[in-house]
């Protein structure tokens, strides 16, 4: 499987876990501590309790807004050694095909741990200042930042 195919399979699993509200499945995709960088803050999700809180609040926000679909679309990915992938993707959260929030972009670092790919770091284009990220600070009409492609 190519790096881009691996990233897309990973993103499909994350999107499904979010839409089903399935924390146990979501947990399988994350290595703690998880580093999250936004346009305005550097955040660390250090404990499982923090991860649960962020997952629950994001799922609640999506449910309250009527989200019917999460589309996480891998754009580029490359292997950085045999057990690490660096890639980027765009996030779309929709209600019956209509965007609930503007599209935003992320760069992600995946590492293979015990045979499973896990996110260790994410850098996104939101302006969120704290964990949990609630996707309330997303600027419209963004483009993929050049530094996300390197």
């Amino acid at each position: 499987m190519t790096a881009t195919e691996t990233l897309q399979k990973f993103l499909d699993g994350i999107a499904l876990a979010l839409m089903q509200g399935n924390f146990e499945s979501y947990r399988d995709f994350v290595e703690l501590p998880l580093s999250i960088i936004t346009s305005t803050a550097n955040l660390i999700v250090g404990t499982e309790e923090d991860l649960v809180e962020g997952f629950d609040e994001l799922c609640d926000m999506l449910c309250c807004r009527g989200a019917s679909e999460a589309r996480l679309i891998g754009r580029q990915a490359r292997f950085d050694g045999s057990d690490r992938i660096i890639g980027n993707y765009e996030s779309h959260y929709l209600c019956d095909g209509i965007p609930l929030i503007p599209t935003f972009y992320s760069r992600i670092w995946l590492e293979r741990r015990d045979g499973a790919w896990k996110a260790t770091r994410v850098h996104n284009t939101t302006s969120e200042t704290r964990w949990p990220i609630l996707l309330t600070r997303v600027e419209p009409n963004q483009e993929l930042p050049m530094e996300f492609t390197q």
Side-chain angles (χ1 to χ4, degrees):
M1 202 178 308
T2 68
T4 302
E5 290 168 336
T6 301
L7 173 61
Q8 189 59 59
K9 183 177 178 183
F10 177 90
L11 295 171
D12 291 345
I14 290 276
L16 182 62
L18 283 171
M19 294 312 300
Q20 292 179 340
N22 184 340
F23 176 77
E24 290 74 25
S25 177
Y26 180 81
R27 176 65 181 96
D28 291 341
F29 295 102
V30 177
E31 180 73 21
L32 295 175
L34 174 66
S35 171
I36 300 174
I37 303 163
T38 72
S39 298
T40 57
N42 293 328
L43 311 169
I44 298 291
V45 181
T47 67
E48 184 140 345
E49 292 78 26
D50 290 340
L51 189 63
V52 168
E53 176 188 12
F55 178 83
D56 288 346
E57 290 200 29
L58 179 57
C59 287
D60 288 349
M61 185 273 305
L62 292 171
C63 182
C64 287
R65 290 189 179 191
S68 58
E69 184 179 4
R71 272 191 220 154
L72 306 178
I73 302 170
R75 294 177 54 113
Q76 298 174 309
R78 65 177 171 81
F79 284 101
D80 185 30
S82 61
D83 291 324
R84 186 174 180 179
I85 292 175
I86 301 171
N88 60 62
Y89 65 96
E90 56 189 62
S91 297
H92 305 269
Y93 294 94
L94 311 163
C95 176
D96 299 327
I98 299 168
L100 294 172
I101 59 170
T103 298
F104 65 95
Y105 299 91
S106 300
R107 187 172 190 196
I108 191 166
W109 288 255
L110 304 179
E111 294 189 20
R112 190 173 9 216
R113 304 283 168 89
D114 297 322
W117 290 102
K118 298 184 180 268
T120 58
R121 185 169 144 195
V122 178
H123 183 179
N124 69 44
T125 58
T126 72
S127 295
E128 298 293 341
T129 59
R130 66 175 194 89
W131 179 262
I133 290 178
L134 298 178
L135 304 177
T136 57
R137 298 177 181 213
V138 181
E139 297 296 322
N141 304 317
Q142 293 184 30
E143 293 187 24
L144 179 68
M146 199 63 153
E147 72 257 21
F148 282 21
T149 63
Q150 299 171 4

